[in-house]
Amino acid sequence: MISQTAEYALRAVVYLASQTGSPRTVAHIAEATHAPERYLAKIMLGLSRAGLVKSKRGLDGGFMLAGKPEELSILAIIGAVDPIRKFAECPLGIESHGRKLCPLHSRLNEAAEMIEKAFDDTKVAELATPPRAAKALCKFPAITAHTP
């Protein structure tokens, strides 16, 4: 449904949302998110250009989120690196729809709109803590259980 590029971008941003304090290098993010480092470097550049992450140069440099995870949607992340594409032309090859789309084209547009809404409604903060039963695709900080 989403590209590998968008998946790596989501992993990187969710990982950064789980980190506090100092910036994280591309190498560190790549290791934590199981993404290829060189490919991730290009993705991080795209996220930076979109203003979703900020970079810091120098010895203690790296990437950090530019805003609050509670305000950043996954649609913004996907849109920055590989936007969701809608059918520009009829999948059945009907040349002229006018305002009334064929049933298939109409249904596909509705599905794309629902996906975009779901992605826009989902904020990074919701994804920063994986469910306990699920195996994370990234190395998240250890969650310590407090015993009474």
Side-chain angles (χ1 to χ4, degrees):
M1 177 171 303
I2 63 171
S3 68
Q4 187 70 64
T5 302
E7 182 181 330
Y8 288 151
L10 288 169
R11 287 187 197 183
V13 171
V14 170
Y15 175 74
L16 289 175
S18 73
Q19 304 299 297
T20 56
S22 61
R24 300 293 190 247
T25 65
V26 171
H28 187 97
I29 299 167
E31 179 184 348
T33 61
H34 306 285
E37 186 175 341
R38 290 172 57 144
Y39 191 39
L40 186 62
K42 292 177 185 179
I43 293 169
M44 297 307 293
L45 182 61
L47 293 171
S48 180
R49 285 184 180 145
L52 303 179
V53 298
K54 55 186 175 181
S55 62
K56 179 182 173 190
R57 292 181 176 257
L59 184 59
D60 294 323
F63 289 93
M64 298 176 70
L65 287 184
K68 297 177 182 177
E70 299 82 17
E71 297 171 0
L72 179 57
S73 74
I74 64 172
L75 181 62
I77 298 161
I78 294 168
V81 297
D82 191 17
I84 297 169
R85 292 173 195 83
K86 292 185 181 176
F87 284 91
E89 297 176 11
C90 177
L92 297 177
I94 300 171
E95 292 184 24
S96 176
H97 282 297
R99 292 188 178 258
K100 185 171 170 74
L101 301 179
C102 73
L104 177 61
H105 200 163
S106 179
R107 184 60 71 162
L108 291 170
N109 277 355
E110 290 171 11
E113 288 171 6
M114 289 187 322
I115 290 168
E116 284 182 343
K117 181 173 179 356
F119 286 174
D120 194 36
D121 290 345
T122 304
K123 306 304 179 196
V124 169
E126 296 174 50
L127 308 176
T129 305
R132 295 203 189 277
K135 181 180 179 195
L137 295 175
C138 304
K139 295 178 189 171
F140 282 90
I143 300 171
T144 56
H146 298 290
T147 55

PDB file of all heavy atoms in Angstrom, residues 52-80:
ATOM      1  N   LEU A  52      10.021  18.452   8.347  1.00  0.00           N
ATOM      2  CA  LEU A  52       9.523  17.508   9.349  1.00  0.00           C
ATOM      3  C   LEU A  52      10.588  17.102  10.350  1.00  0.00           C
ATOM      4  O   LEU A  52      10.269  16.748  11.488  1.00  0.00           O
ATOM      5  CB  LEU A  52       8.945  16.269   8.658  1.00  0.00           C
ATOM      6  CG  LEU A  52       7.821  16.555   7.661  1.00  0.00           C
ATOM      7  CD1 LEU A  52       7.340  15.260   7.027  1.00  0.00           C
ATOM      8  CD2 LEU A  52       6.678  17.297   8.323  1.00  0.00           C
ATOM      9  N   VAL A  53      11.836  17.113   9.909  1.00  0.00           N
ATOM     10  CA  VAL A  53      12.963  16.887  10.811  1.00  0.00           C
ATOM     11  C   VAL A  53      13.935  18.041  10.614  1.00  0.00           C
ATOM     12  O   VAL A  53      13.913  18.725   9.594  1.00  0.00           O
ATOM     13  CB  VAL A  53      13.689  15.534  10.559  1.00  0.00           C
ATOM     14  CG1 VAL A  53      12.750  14.361  10.782  1.00  0.00           C
ATOM     15  CG2 VAL A  53      14.310  15.478   9.187  1.00  0.00           C
ATOM     16  N   LYS A  54      14.746  18.254  11.615  1.00  0.00           N
ATOM     17  CA  LYS A  54      15.798  19.262  11.475  1.00  0.00           C
ATOM     18  C   LYS A  54      17.134  18.583  11.696  1.00  0.00           C
ATOM     19  O   LYS A  54      17.229  17.595  12.434  1.00  0.00           O
ATOM     20  CB  LYS A  54      15.584  20.432  12.426  1.00  0.00           C
ATOM     21  CG  LYS A  54      15.440  20.060  13.878  1.00  0.00           C
ATOM     22  CD  LYS A  54      15.076  21.265  14.719  1.00  0.00           C
ATOM     23  CE  LYS A  54      14.824  20.835  16.152  1.00  0.00           C
ATOM     24  NZ  LYS A  54      14.447  21.957  17.001  1.00  0.00           N
ATOM     25  N   SER A  55      18.123  19.107  11.019  1.00  0.00           N
ATOM     26  CA  SER A  55      19.448  18.501  11.132  1.00  0.00           C
ATOM     27  C   SER A  55      20.389  19.475  11.820  1.00  0.00           C
ATOM     28  O   SER A  55      20.230  20.688  11.733  1.00  0.00           O
ATOM     29  CB  SER A  55      19.989  18.121   9.758  1.00  0.00           C
ATOM     30  OG  SER A  55      20.130  19.267   8.951  1.00  0.00           O
ATOM     31  N   LYS A  56      21.351  18.881  12.488  1.00  0.00           N
ATOM     32  CA  LYS A  56      22.383  19.657  13.180  1.00  0.00           C
ATOM     33  C   LYS A  56      23.721  19.126  12.712  1.00  0.00           C
ATOM     34  O   LYS A  56      23.956  17.923  12.746  1.00  0.00           O
ATOM     35  CB  LYS A  56      22.231  19.491  14.693  1.00  0.00           C
ATOM     36  CG  LYS A  56      23.267  20.239  15.485  1.00  0.00           C
ATOM     37  CD  LYS A  56      23.089  19.999  16.980  1.00  0.00           C
ATOM     38  CE  LYS A  56      24.231  20.609  17.732  1.00  0.00           C
ATOM     39  NZ  LYS A  56      24.233  20.200  19.133  1.00  0.00           N
ATOM     40  N   ARG A  57      24.561  20.009  12.260  1.00  0.00           N
ATOM     41  CA  ARG A  57      25.884  19.608  11.804  1.00  0.00           C
ATOM     42  C   ARG A  57      26.858  19.548  12.975  1.00  0.00           C
ATOM     43  O   ARG A  57      26.608  20.095  14.027  1.00  0.00           O
ATOM     44  CB  ARG A  57      26.420  20.613  10.776  1.00  0.00           C
ATOM     45  CG  ARG A  57      25.658  20.602   9.486  1.00  0.00           C
ATOM     46  CD  ARG A  57      26.284  21.611   8.526  1.00  0.00           C
ATOM     47  NE  ARG A  57      25.631  21.569   7.244  1.00  0.00           N
ATOM     48  CZ  ARG A  57      26.137  20.976   6.179  1.00  0.00           C
ATOM     49  NH1 ARG A  57      27.303  20.389   6.233  1.00  0.00           N
ATOM     50  NH2 ARG A  57      25.479  20.979   5.053  1.00  0.00           N
ATOM     51  N   GLY A  58      27.961  18.879  12.732  1.00  0.00           N
ATOM     52  CA  GLY A  58      29.030  18.884  13.716  1.00  0.00           C
ATOM     53  C   GLY A  58      29.155  17.597  14.492  1.00  0.00           C
ATOM     54  O   GLY A  58      28.475  16.600  14.218  1.00  0.00           O
ATOM     55  N   LEU A  59      30.027  17.642  15.490  1.00  0.00           N
ATOM     56  CA  LEU A  59      30.364  16.473  16.289  1.00  0.00           C
ATOM     57  C   LEU A  59      29.137  15.845  16.953  1.00  0.00           C
ATOM     58  O   LEU A  59      28.980  14.635  16.970  1.00  0.00           O
ATOM     59  CB  LEU A  59      31.403  16.850  17.353  1.00  0.00           C
ATOM     60  CG  LEU A  59      31.941  15.717  18.205  1.00  0.00           C
ATOM     61  CD1 LEU A  59      32.609  14.663  17.328  1.00  0.00           C
ATOM     62  CD2 LEU A  59      32.920  16.267  19.221  1.00  0.00           C
ATOM     63  N   ASP A  60      28.272  16.657  17.495  1.00  0.00           N
ATOM     64  CA  ASP A  60      27.065  16.148  18.151  1.00  0.00           C
ATOM     65  C   ASP A  60      25.855  16.294  17.241  1.00  0.00           C
ATOM     66  O   ASP A  60      24.733  16.444  17.712  1.00  0.00           O
ATOM     67  CB  ASP A  60      26.826  16.896  19.471  1.00  0.00           C
ATOM     68  CG  ASP A  60      27.912  16.622  20.490  1.00  0.00           C
ATOM     69  OD1 ASP A  60      28.382  15.472  20.540  1.00  0.00           O
ATOM     70  OD2 ASP A  60      28.286  17.555  21.224  1.00  0.00           O
ATOM     71  N   GLY A  61      26.084  16.229  15.946  1.00  0.00           N
ATOM     72  CA  GLY A  61      25.018  16.453  14.971  1.00  0.00           C
ATOM     73  C   GLY A  61      24.165  15.230  14.719  1.00  0.00           C
ATOM     74  O   GLY A  61      24.404  14.149  15.228  1.00  0.00           O
ATOM     75  N   GLY A  62      23.173  15.452  13.890  1.00  0.00           N
ATOM     76  CA  GLY A  62      22.253  14.391  13.529  1.00  0.00           C
ATOM     77  C   GLY A  62      20.885  14.976  13.242  1.00  0.00           C
ATOM     78  O   GLY A  62      20.754  16.155  12.935  1.00  0.00           O
ATOM     79  N   PHE A  63      19.870  14.153  13.386  1.00  0.00           N
ATOM     80  CA  PHE A  63      18.496  14.558  13.098  1.00  0.00           C
ATOM     81  C   PHE A  63      17.625  14.479  14.343  1.00  0.00           C
ATOM     82  O   PHE A  63      17.806  13.610  15.186  1.00  0.00           O
ATOM     83  CB  PHE A  63      17.886  13.653  12.017  1.00  0.00           C
ATOM     84  CG  PHE A  63      18.470  13.874  10.659  1.00  0.00           C
ATOM     85  CD1 PHE A  63      19.545  13.106  10.225  1.00  0.00           C
ATOM     86  CD2 PHE A  63      17.965  14.841   9.814  1.00  0.00           C
ATOM     87  CE1 PHE A  63      20.086  13.294   8.970  1.00  0.00           C
ATOM     88  CE2 PHE A  63      18.507  15.045   8.557  1.00  0.00           C
ATOM     89  CZ  PHE A  63      19.569  14.271   8.135  1.00  0.00           C
ATOM     90  N   MET A  64      16.675  15.395  14.390  1.00  0.00           N
ATOM     91  CA  MET A  64      15.652  15.428  15.436  1.00  0.00           C
ATOM     92  C   MET A  64      14.334  15.796  14.773  1.00  0.00           C
ATOM     93  O   MET A  64      14.329  16.376  13.687  1.00  0.00           O
ATOM     94  CB  MET A  64      15.975  16.488  16.494  1.00  0.00           C
ATOM     95  CG  MET A  64      17.260  16.269  17.249  1.00  0.00           C
ATOM     96  SD  MET A  64      17.601  17.620  18.398  1.00  0.00           S
ATOM     97  CE  MET A  64      16.335  17.350  19.613  1.00  0.00           C
ATOM     98  N   LEU A  65      13.234  15.499  15.426  1.00  0.00           N
ATOM     99  CA  LEU A  65      11.948  15.952  14.908  1.00  0.00           C
ATOM    100  C   LEU A  65      11.899  17.477  14.958  1.00  0.00           C
ATOM    101  O   LEU A  65      12.401  18.084  15.903  1.00  0.00           O
ATOM    102  CB  LEU A  65      10.791  15.387  15.722  1.00  0.00           C
ATOM    103  CG  LEU A  65      10.461  13.920  15.545  1.00  0.00           C
ATOM    104  CD1 LEU A  65       9.218  13.560  16.355  1.00  0.00           C
ATOM    105  CD2 LEU A  65      10.241  13.569  14.090  1.00  0.00           C
ATOM    106  N   ALA A  66      11.271  18.078  13.972  1.00  0.00           N
ATOM    107  CA  ALA A  66      11.157  19.533  13.933  1.00  0.00           C
ATOM    108  C   ALA A  66       9.962  20.021  14.749  1.00  0.00           C
ATOM    109  O   ALA A  66       9.920  21.174  15.153  1.00  0.00           O
ATOM    110  CB  ALA A  66      11.034  20.015  12.493  1.00  0.00           C
ATOM    111  N   GLY A  67       9.012  19.142  14.991  1.00  0.00           N
ATOM    112  CA  GLY A  67       7.816  19.529  15.737  1.00  0.00           C
ATOM    113  C   GLY A  67       7.439  18.479  16.750  1.00  0.00           C
ATOM    114  O   GLY A  67       8.201  17.562  17.041  1.00  0.00           O
ATOM    115  N   LYS A  68       6.240  18.621  17.258  1.00  0.00           N
ATOM    116  CA  LYS A  68       5.746  17.691  18.272  1.00  0.00           C
ATOM    117  C   LYS A  68       5.151  16.451  17.606  1.00  0.00           C
ATOM    118  O   LYS A  68       4.393  16.559  16.642  1.00  0.00           O
ATOM    119  CB  LYS A  68       4.664  18.365  19.113  1.00  0.00           C
ATOM    120  CG  LYS A  68       5.162  19.547  19.891  1.00  0.00           C
ATOM    121  CD  LYS A  68       4.028  20.198  20.645  1.00  0.00           C
ATOM    122  CE  LYS A  68       4.524  21.429  21.394  1.00  0.00           C
ATOM    123  NZ  LYS A  68       3.418  22.117  22.073  1.00  0.00           N
ATOM    124  N   PRO A  69       5.460  15.269  18.129  1.00  0.00           N
ATOM    125  CA  PRO A  69       4.901  14.031  17.567  1.00  0.00           C
ATOM    126  C   PRO A  69       3.376  14.001  17.618  1.00  0.00           C
ATOM    127  O   PRO A  69       2.744  13.362  16.792  1.00  0.00           O
ATOM    128  CB  PRO A  69       5.482  12.921  18.430  1.00  0.00           C
ATOM    129  CG  PRO A  69       6.576  13.529  19.218  1.00  0.00           C
ATOM    130  CD  PRO A  69       6.369  15.003  19.238  1.00  0.00           C
ATOM    131  N   GLU A  70       2.781  14.725  18.554  1.00  0.00           N
ATOM    132  CA  GLU A  70       1.325  14.766  18.693  1.00  0.00           C
ATOM    133  C   GLU A  70       0.675  15.533  17.548  1.00  0.00           C
ATOM    134  O   GLU A  70      -0.529  15.421  17.327  1.00  0.00           O
ATOM    135  CB  GLU A  70       0.917  15.428  20.022  1.00  0.00           C
ATOM    136  CG  GLU A  70       1.411  14.720  21.246  1.00  0.00           C
ATOM    137  CD  GLU A  70       2.862  15.073  21.607  1.00  0.00           C
ATOM    138  OE1 GLU A  70       3.399  16.088  21.109  1.00  0.00           O
ATOM    139  OE2 GLU A  70       3.461  14.302  22.376  1.00  0.00           O
ATOM    140  N   GLU A  71       1.462  16.335  16.849  1.00  0.00           N
ATOM    141  CA  GLU A  71       0.922  17.172  15.776  1.00  0.00           C
ATOM    142  C   GLU A  71       1.328  16.693  14.387  1.00  0.00           C
ATOM    143  O   GLU A  71       0.799  17.168  13.391  1.00  0.00           O
ATOM    144  CB  GLU A  71       1.379  18.616  15.974  1.00  0.00           C
ATOM    145  CG  GLU A  71       0.870  19.229  17.265  1.00  0.00           C
ATOM    146  CD  GLU A  71       1.486  20.584  17.571  1.00  0.00           C
ATOM    147  OE1 GLU A  71       2.324  21.060  16.779  1.00  0.00           O
ATOM    148  OE2 GLU A  71       1.124  21.157  18.614  1.00  0.00           O
ATOM    149  N   LEU A  72       2.238  15.748  14.307  1.00  0.00           N
ATOM    150  CA  LEU A  72       2.765  15.290  13.024  1.00  0.00           C
ATOM    151  C   LEU A  72       2.011  14.051  12.551  1.00  0.00           C
ATOM    152  O   LEU A  72       2.013  13.018  13.222  1.00  0.00           O
ATOM    153  CB  LEU A  72       4.259  14.974  13.156  1.00  0.00           C
ATOM    154  CG  LEU A  72       4.980  14.460  11.917  1.00  0.00           C
ATOM    155  CD1 LEU A  72       4.856  15.429  10.755  1.00  0.00           C
ATOM    156  CD2 LEU A  72       6.444  14.206  12.251  1.00  0.00           C
ATOM    157  N   SER A  73       1.365  14.166  11.395  1.00  0.00           N
ATOM    158  CA  SER A  73       0.593  13.034  10.862  1.00  0.00           C
ATOM    159  C   SER A  73       1.480  12.151   9.999  1.00  0.00           C
ATOM    160  O   SER A  73       2.467  12.606   9.415  1.00  0.00           O
ATOM    161  CB  SER A  73      -0.596  13.530  10.034  1.00  0.00           C
ATOM    162  OG  SER A  73      -0.155  14.040   8.794  1.00  0.00           O
ATOM    163  N   ILE A  74       1.075  10.894   9.904  1.00  0.00           N
ATOM    164  CA  ILE A  74       1.831  10.003   9.031  1.00  0.00           C
ATOM    165  C   ILE A  74       1.595  10.360   7.565  1.00  0.00           C
ATOM    166  O   ILE A  74       2.435  10.089   6.720  1.00  0.00           O
ATOM    167  CB  ILE A  74       1.579   8.510   9.331  1.00  0.00           C
ATOM    168  CG1 ILE A  74       0.152   8.096   9.071  1.00  0.00           C
ATOM    169  CG2 ILE A  74       1.999   8.175  10.745  1.00  0.00           C
ATOM    170  CD1 ILE A  74      -0.057   6.581   9.167  1.00  0.00           C
ATOM    171  N   LEU A  75       0.481  11.031   7.273  1.00  0.00           N
ATOM    172  CA  LEU A  75       0.242  11.490   5.900  1.00  0.00           C
ATOM    173  C   LEU A  75       1.300  12.519   5.503  1.00  0.00           C
ATOM    174  O   LEU A  75       1.789  12.495   4.374  1.00  0.00           O
ATOM    175  CB  LEU A  75      -1.159  12.083   5.752  1.00  0.00           C
ATOM    176  CG  LEU A  75      -1.523  12.582   4.357  1.00  0.00           C
ATOM    177  CD1 LEU A  75      -1.508  11.429   3.347  1.00  0.00           C
ATOM    178  CD2 LEU A  75      -2.880  13.273   4.363  1.00  0.00           C
ATOM    179  N   ALA A  76       1.680  13.399   6.418  1.00  0.00           N
ATOM    180  CA  ALA A  76       2.708  14.399   6.124  1.00  0.00           C
ATOM    181  C   ALA A  76       4.048  13.728   5.827  1.00  0.00           C
ATOM    182  O   ALA A  76       4.772  14.152   4.920  1.00  0.00           O
ATOM    183  CB  ALA A  76       2.845  15.372   7.289  1.00  0.00           C
ATOM    184  N   ILE A  77       4.359  12.684   6.568  1.00  0.00           N
ATOM    185  CA  ILE A  77       5.621  11.967   6.364  1.00  0.00           C
ATOM    186  C   ILE A  77       5.619  11.280   5.001  1.00  0.00           C
ATOM    187  O   ILE A  77       6.561  11.426   4.219  1.00  0.00           O
ATOM    188  CB  ILE A  77       5.849  10.936   7.489  1.00  0.00           C
ATOM    189  CG1 ILE A  77       5.952  11.638   8.835  1.00  0.00           C
ATOM    190  CG2 ILE A  77       7.098  10.099   7.216  1.00  0.00           C
ATOM    191  CD1 ILE A  77       5.731  10.740  10.018  1.00  0.00           C
ATOM    192  N   ILE A  78       4.560  10.551   4.719  1.00  0.00           N
ATOM    193  CA  ILE A  78       4.463   9.856   3.437  1.00  0.00           C
ATOM    194  C   ILE A  78       4.471  10.865   2.293  1.00  0.00           C
ATOM    195  O   ILE A  78       5.154  10.681   1.289  1.00  0.00           O
ATOM    196  CB  ILE A  78       3.205   8.961   3.398  1.00  0.00           C
ATOM    197  CG1 ILE A  78       3.347   7.821   4.414  1.00  0.00           C
ATOM    198  CG2 ILE A  78       2.964   8.420   1.996  1.00  0.00           C
ATOM    199  CD1 ILE A  78       2.065   7.048   4.665  1.00  0.00           C
ATOM    200  N   GLY A  79       3.741  11.941   2.465  1.00  0.00           N
ATOM    201  CA  GLY A  79       3.682  12.976   1.436  1.00  0.00           C
ATOM    202  C   GLY A  79       5.020  13.617   1.155  1.00  0.00           C
ATOM    203  O   GLY A  79       5.288  14.053   0.031  1.00  0.00           O
ATOM    204  N   ALA A  80       5.884  13.662   2.144  1.00  0.00           N
ATOM    205  CA  ALA A  80       7.200  14.284   1.973  1.00  0.00           C
ATOM    206  C   ALA A  80       8.152  13.416   1.159  1.00  0.00           C
ATOM    207  O   ALA A  80       9.045  13.945   0.493  1.00  0.00           O
ATOM    208  CB  ALA A  80       7.816  14.585   3.341  1.00  0.00           C
TER     209      ALA A  80
END
